Amino acid sequence: MFRKNKLIFLFFLVSTFSYSQLGDGKLVLPNLKLRKSGPYFGVQRGKYWVGELGMEIQWKKVKLTKALTQSIHSGFNYDFKENILGYDFGYWLKTSRLGLTYGGDFIFRTDFYQNRIGFTPLVGYKLFGFHFQAGYNFLTQPDSFNNTNAFFVSLRFVLINQRDFRID
């Protein structure tokens, strides 16, 4: 038993020394890239309550020091009380494990008589599939269609149903 443990220890010791001789002496860790996707559902609250449904794809570079996560999403939202339908297409970026997310959406809103398009800058925090965001909708000016959120907060939950990873 003792002889077997000594051989295992010797193997790891020799392999560590031989690996350290490669390159300029720096330990090079492999790059792990992760892609996750799935549907999301959420709620948006500003002046009005709005339900959200959509799809999100996330790309993540897993590193010890700074993990980088990027995402695109597309979905729709509907305000049942005011009968307002909206479509969102956006992007967000997270530059560290516990940092804030920064992003923006291109948006379309309609009350089925008039349409409004615009842009929404967003800042948020993502943890365990939940994504809390705050933003402001900059929309084109309508004649009488004003019953949509300007400043809002939203909470989304992403159901990850597909994961792919690659090691470089």
Side-chain angles (χ1 to χ4, degrees), residues 50-65:
V50 178
E52 299 180 330
L53 289 172
M55 180 71 175
E56 183 168 289
I57 302 172
Q58 300 174 10
W59 292 272
K60 185 173 186 176
K61 286 185 181 178
V62 180
K63 294 182 178 180
L64 289 176
T65 55

Side-chain angles (χ1 to χ4, degrees), residues 8-119:
I8 291 172
F9 176 74
L10 184 64
F11 171 75
F12 283 118
L13 185 65
V14 170
S15 65
T16 304
F17 286 146
S18 65
Y19 184 73
S20 67
Q21 299 302 315
L22 298 175
D24 57 357
K26 294 182 181 177
L27 180 61
V28 178
L29 297 175
N31 290 330
L32 178 62
K33 295 180 181 176
L34 183 64
R35 188 180 129 219
K36 302 185 288 187
S37 63
Y40 70 82
F41 60 92
V43 64
Q44 185 182 110
R45 176 67 174 140
K47 189 175 178 181
Y48 305 98
W49 285 95
V50 178
E52 299 180 330
L53 289 172
M55 180 71 175
E56 183 168 289
I57 302 172
Q58 300 174 10
W59 292 272
K60 185 173 186 176
K61 286 185 181 178
V62 180
K63 294 182 178 180
L64 289 176
T65 55
K66 288 190 176 181
L68 177 70
T69 305
Q70 302 179 64
S71 175
I72 59 171
H73 60 271
S74 179
F76 71 94
N77 50 52
Y78 188 71
D79 182 354
F80 288 96
K81 186 176 179 185
E82 298 293 327
N83 195 29
I84 304 295
L85 178 66
Y87 293 99
D88 299 341
F89 178 77
Y91 169 83
W92 59 261
L93 171 73
K94 184 176 175 183
T95 58
S96 65
R97 293 188 197 284
L98 298 175
L100 296 175
T101 61
Y102 306 98
D105 287 351
F106 292 106
I107 59 174
F108 173 80
R109 301 287 185 265
T110 183
D111 65 352
F112 302 102
Y113 297 107
Q114 294 181 6
N115 303 324
R116 296 178 77 180
I117 59 171
F119 177 76

